[in-house]
Amino acid sequence: MGMEKVLTKMVGIENSQNIDVYLKHGGYQALPKALKMTPDALIQMMKDSGVRGRGGAGFPTGMKWSFLPKDNPKPRYLLCNADESEPGTFKDRVLMEDDPHQVIEGLAISSFAIQSHTCYIYIRGEYVKGAKILNKAIQEAYDKGYLGKNILGSGFDLDITVHRGAGAYICGEETGLIESLEGKRGWPRIKPPFPAVYGVFGCPTIVNNVETLVTPVHIINRGVQWWKDNEPKLYCMSGHLNRPGTYEAKMGTNLLDLINEYCGGIRHGRKLKAVIPGGSSVPVLRAEECNVAMDFDALAKVGSALGSAGCMVMDETTCMVNALWNLLKFYAHESCGQCTPCREGTHWLEMILGRIETGRGRMEDLDLMLETANNIAGRTICPLGDAAAWPVAGLPDRNKGNDLNGQSFVNKFREEFEYHITNKKCMVTIPHEWN
Amino acid sequence: MPLVKIDSQEVEIGKNETVFNAAKRVGIDIPFYCYHPGLKIVASCRMCLVDMVGAPKLVPACSTTVPELPEAKKIEGKFDAVIFTDNEKVKTARRAVLEFLLLNHPIDCPICDKAGECKLQDYSFEHGNDASRFVEIKRVPQKKDLGPSIFLYTSRCIMCSRCVRFTEEISGTEELKVTYRGWHAEIDVAPEKPLNNKMMGNVVDLCPVGCLIDKHERFEGRVWNFVHTDSICPGCSKGCNTTLDTMKHQKLNLEELVDQVYRIRPRENMTVNQWWICDDGRYHLETDKKKTRIMVPHVKQGSKLAEVSWAEALSVSLQKIKAVSTKEVALIGSPYASNEENYLLGKLARLLGTGLDVSKPIYGDTQTFKTDKNPYPFTIESEKAPNYRGAKTTLSLTDSQLDKTIADKKVVIMLGSHNVELKSKPETLIVIGSFEDAVTAQADVLLPAALFTETSGTYTNKDGAVQKFNRAINALGESKAIWQILVELASGLGQSWYYENVGDVAKEMIENVNAYKTLELDKLYPQFSTLNEQMVV
């Protein structure tokens, strides 16, 4: 709290979507500086700043950009992944709806860095408002010469197109997104070849999250060292909080601080029960594990992940069986149907949980669920299989031959699952006066 | 070349060769569903997952290639990759995939036509669980009628998407698509756009389970009763390699066993038809069934053809031939008869000094299936005969001039009568044919000939490839192979020919026909001693 807002500086300012307002607040200052640098220097700058992808996987951005083949004569593409469909994630929406010019400036710098002259924003179909705002902002940027031919006299050309998705979680996976953008069914591709070598329309392609692509604006404006010391991050705080919402905080802010200080604590003063810290795909944390810094490494150490920083907070009235069932319903619904383990497994898990929740569970179902999750994770083309398995059975453990470590819903809240099975009802009872 | 250790074997693997292919080369079978050599690799069935040392996860063998490692990084000092196809990790993964596939798969093997050659069945025996842990209710989507000849048993589908890729990449017709998502995903056609193209039968062969079922074959027979015979499609001059699946079955209320060709399937030949055949060829015998087959010899008595015995038909024929000078006799070869049969006809004509010609094939529609994803465009040739080139070669003719040849002839002996138009009927017309038509109606003697399924021989396709077809079933009725009929006629005309089987004819043909001198008899006739075609003298 009290920290200077960087990424969300424009939020709350009247007409923040307008280019003049953006310029008045110091916008489009990084772009001319970037255009005077060399693309290689920009990529090196991203590497030095240590920015990691903010869409979920946390892959180092500078390294991703440097994978582009140097000798490929085909055009390069930058795809801005604004599909934002991970449950519990809503940070890109804030960026696009309240500060579209920051996004455009980031895209222009990134495009220059990877020498792409065409950039697509693949925006989630439901973000109608965001798409409208972006389109308007892009037009303004064209008019002012920040996009189009010969940007700011640098000789660099860039066109940005907004492409609205048709509503599928899987189109947020980078190769699924590429297929969807090409007009095909959003079935992820097998890798290799990676998009950097063979991406959209068969050309070298970089796919990055919206928040990742705005970072170069601030790194250029404030310098690599400042960035490393003060890396800002957007956290999507949802669930049983007094003030849920998107919060900007320093990377590595303690989870409890986020809950208690930023979000005003748990609603009605109840007790914290569990947190899913990084969007629905990552293993859950018990309340006692929540004293953790919200960054990639610290969360990995406690057996979870930062993911997309979609933090779902659950208080003591939450039935964990029902919560997991809810998550798995989502994955079963969104599985694209390409790979056998994910297509069949996600639905099977959902059915097993449905039985337990409705009082028809068997004790052996718990181990069956863990085994099924193990049979899905790591055996599919894209990470959707992993995303469905990890909430059930935790992250892969390198020491156990990559088997899942079991540290998530089923084992962490096993007593609740067992109670459900033996007593055919929920362990959590909500006092009458709370309703 | 990168060196790979697969299980315990060392294999050199090509730069773009997949682990799957390399393993296959050394005899390691990796189970698969979605992979097909002729289609794009999607690696979605996850059945071929193998354990590659150093890779964090199991990798699909069908899509994994191995790059050459720098000397210092080689595994065990020399390998670029070490792969296990059968360790515990891989076995668990296979068992899991089979368990997943069987969750919704109906266990209706007893009434499924695919049973016996079903990959799901085979792999479940080999790699699967013995019991199901699925206690929920199965999803049972309804069977769909995809078009004129294909049913889709939706509930049996395992979503390998081979059929979809076939219509996208090979036939280019794109009728089949995946609809819905996840567990609800189904193969379907668009409304009013049925699966209807000349290549559609191939999707049935491609289906690894009994999901796509051919209406012509449904409930007709069990695959374990079939006998497989290599054959060549006689539908056009392309010369597609086929397999005839035959079986003996009991006719209703009859004691006797009847041979029947149950289905025709493509046989891989990379230079001719790759893995496919067209539906004209596949349902060739269906079309034949609509025609009237000549079952017994006929001789014209008065104005009608009367059924007679072989002895009588032959003696009448010989009588007619001997009654005129050999100059007034013409022997007409056929583009529908094999090289051997045409060769014998030519030999007889040369020995007797008679006229010699070949009838023209039928010409029909041509169609090419071409997409940018398929390096081998598939063309259905317009020349609807299997052996025009071969007939011309063996008879040393450049073209057919039928009218001219038979203009002044009194006795004409014809092999087959497809597409023959007689301007004037010769005094005596002897037809050695299989089906009744306008020409056979005019014949004075009709000798029933065996079809390509009932005899052996070679066809020469439009590109000059000489390919062998084998006898699959016994000749119907009293019909005989044409070469046998010719031998009998020749012996009646004073020639003492002796051929134990059609292989002997081939041997002589190869010696005497210049174009065929380079043919290797052993390769064409590896099993000719088993043909069981005794010469009748």
Side-chain angles (χ1 to χ4, degrees), chain B residues 383-420:
Chain B
E383 190 177 294
K384 303 292 180 198
N387 200 29
Y388 193 40
R389 181 168 172 161
K392 284 189 293 184
T393 311
T394 42
L395 296 174
S396 311
L397 295 170
T398 49
D399 205 2
S400 160
Q401 293 173 312
L402 207 56
D403 292 334
K404 218 172 128 193
T405 314
I406 64 172
D408 53 345
K409 300 289 190 282
K410 290 198 171 131
V411 176
V412 172
I413 304 174
M414 269 191 199
L415 299 190
S417 53
H418 300 260
N419 199 34
V420 177

Side-chain angles (χ1 to χ4, degrees), chain B residues 167-271:
Chain B
T167 58
E168 279 170 5
E169 295 164 25
I170 309 297
S171 72
T173 45
E174 305 200 8
E175 292 107 334
L176 295 178
K177 288 281 174 236
V178 179
T179 60
Y180 307 117
R181 205 165 57 194
W183 155 299
H184 300 282
E186 288 176 13
I187 308 290
D188 209 342
V189 290
E192 309 290 315
K193 297 262 185 223
L195 177 62
N196 192 1
N197 64 62
K198 282 264 177 88
M199 298 279 279
M200 63 184 160
N202 289 304
V203 297
V204 178
D205 303 327
L206 281 174
C207 188
V209 293
C211 177
L212 289 156
I213 293 287
D214 198 319
K215 289 179 190 173
H216 300 80
E217 296 156 8
R218 192 170 64 130
F219 305 144
E220 291 283 321
R222 308 307 322 230
V223 297
W224 52 84
N225 292 330
F226 294 160
V227 179
H228 314 291
T229 312
D230 291 353
S231 186
I232 302 296
C233 176
C236 74
S237 58
K238 188 175 174 72
C240 293
N241 291 217
T242 57
T243 300
L244 302 177
D245 289 352
T246 55
M247 89 180 152
K248 286 188 188 304
H249 72 106
Q250 207 153 26
K251 262 195 177 172
L252 208 61
N253 298 333
L254 280 176
E255 292 282 298
E256 62 173 329
L257 288 171
V258 182
D259 282 337
Q260 193 188 331
V261 177
Y262 170 84
R263 59 179 182 184
I264 301 179
R265 286 181 305 154
R267 180 159 54 93
E268 182 184 331
N269 184 329
M270 285 313 290
T271 52

Side-chain angles (χ1 to χ4, degrees), chain B residues 462-518:
Chain B
K462 63 170 182 25
D463 300 320
V466 181
Q467 305 185 98
K468 169 93 192 299
F469 60 92
N470 297 295
R471 198 185 72 169
I473 54 173
N474 286 320
L476 214 61
E478 291 180 23
S479 37
K480 285 184 186 176
I482 293 175
W483 70 271
Q484 288 175 325
I485 301 173
L486 287 172
V487 165
E488 287 178 37
L489 278 176
S491 86
L493 292 167
Q495 311 293 329
S496 51
W497 293 355
Y498 180 77
Y499 301 108
E500 197 164 300
N501 52 40
V502 75
D504 285 354
V505 184
K507 206 182 278 175
E508 193 182 298
M509 175 184 80
I510 290 170
E511 280 165 16
N512 291 317
V513 178
N514 274 336
Y516 294 159
K517 283 250 160 75
T518 52

Side-chain angles (χ1 to χ4, degrees), chain A residues 279-325:
Chain A
S280 63
S281 314
V282 305
V284 67
L285 297 177
R286 294 182 71 119
E288 58 267 30
E289 295 168 312
C290 285
N291 188 4
V292 62
M294 286 286 279
D295 64 32
F296 291 103
D297 299 327
L299 278 168
K301 234 174 244 168
V302 295
S304 190
L306 181 61
S308 58
C311 211
M312 289 187 267
V313 180
M314 291 170 250
D315 72 10
E316 56 192 311
T317 62
T318 314
C319 167
M320 298 313 272
V321 180
N322 204 344
L324 184 59
W325 188 27

Side-chain angles (χ1 to χ4, degrees), chain A residues 185 335 339-340 347 355 379 402, chain B residues 46 56 136 178 180 182-183:
Chain A
R185 195 182 162 86
S335 169
C339 309
T340 310
H347 215 104
R355 273 197 294 111
R379 309 244 173 98
N402 247 21
Chain B
R46 314 315 277 181
E136 285 79 13
V178 179
Y180 307 117
W183 155 299

Side-chain angles (χ1 to χ4, degrees), chain A residues 185 187 328-340 342-348 350-351, chain B residues 104 137-142 144 152 154-155 157-159 177-188:
Chain A
R185 195 182 162 86
W187 273 13
L328 284 167
K329 272 195 254 184
F330 173 80
Y331 289 111
H333 181 69
E334 294 294 344
S335 169
C336 80
Q338 193 177 196
C339 309
T340 310
C342 170
R343 177 184 68 238
E344 307 289 342
T346 51
H347 215 104
W348 192 15
E350 182 214 328
M351 287 175 113
Chain B
N104 277 305
I137 293 168
K138 289 194 186 213
R139 196 177 84 90
V140 190
Q142 282 304 298
K144 293 176 198 165
L152 182 101
T154 320
S155 57
C157 183
I158 58 163
M159 289 304 292
K177 288 281 174 236
V178 179
T179 60
Y180 307 117
R181 205 165 57 194
W183 155 299
H184 300 282
E186 288 176 13
I187 308 290
D188 209 342

